[in-house]
Amino acid sequence: VQLQASGGGLVQAGGSLRLSCVVSGSIFSINRMGWYRQAPGKERELVAVITSGSSTNYADSVRGRFTISMDNAKNTAYLQMSSLKREDTAVYYCNAEVRRNIFRRDDYWGQGTLVTVSS
């Protein structure tokens, strides 16, 4: 199972970006997908998570500005980021809890994608 994240880049404060994360490989089902971020000198933190049933949860710092969604048919999660602030600058990582069969579920991480918000 592999996760491929994309969509990061440089954006001005107040702007928008959309991140994508595609899960590929031997997949029975995906229970949930999420986005985490790690800023320089800080610990990795949860940004948003979505379950296969479309339940969502957000960090307080991004609620109302970011939207997570999931296309189950494409095994893809998106993070629409709006009203970006300088403090959103970080490497963003996608995460997925994947069932490879009915007996086993594992956690997988994608490579990070850098989001830089300039003033």
Side-chain angles (χ1 to χ4, degrees):
V1 175
Q2 292 185 327
L3 276 63
Q4 181 69 45
S6 62
L10 175 63
V11 63
Q12 287 190 330
S16 299
L17 275 178
R18 189 177 82 155
L19 306 183
S20 300
C21 178
V22 181
V23 183
S24 62
S26 179
I27 302 167
F28 178 73
S29 65
I30 300 174
N31 290 346
R32 60 165 172 75
M33 294 188 71
W35 290 95
Y36 292 73
R37 68 186 181 187
Q38 187 167 19
K42 295 187 177 182
E43 295 185 352
R44 189 175 297 189
E45 63 175 0
L46 173 70
V47 176
V49 64
I50 185 168
T51 68
S52 58
S54 299
S55 295
T56 59
N57 193 29
Y58 296 90
D60 289 342
S61 60
V62 306
R63 187 173 288 112
R65 300 187 297 121
F66 291 9
T67 302
I68 189 170
S69 60
M70 186 171 166
D71 186 331
N72 293 314
K74 295 182 178 180
N75 293 334
T76 301
Y78 304 96
L79 185 68
Q80 179 66 47
M81 305 185 292
S82 303
S83 302
L84 283 160
K85 305 176 181 180
R86 288 193 65 185
E87 51 263 44
D88 294 318
T89 295
V91 177
Y92 284 70
Y93 298 90
C94 65
N95 168 268
E97 183 181 276
V98 176
R99 284 190 181 276
R100 299 182 66 182
N101 54 57
I102 61 172
F103 303 107
R104 178 174 177 173
R105 58 182 180 182
D106 295 291
D107 229 37
Y108 295 90
W109 290 89
Q111 90 291 0
T113 185
L114 177 62
V115 173
T116 304
V117 183
S118 64
S119 58

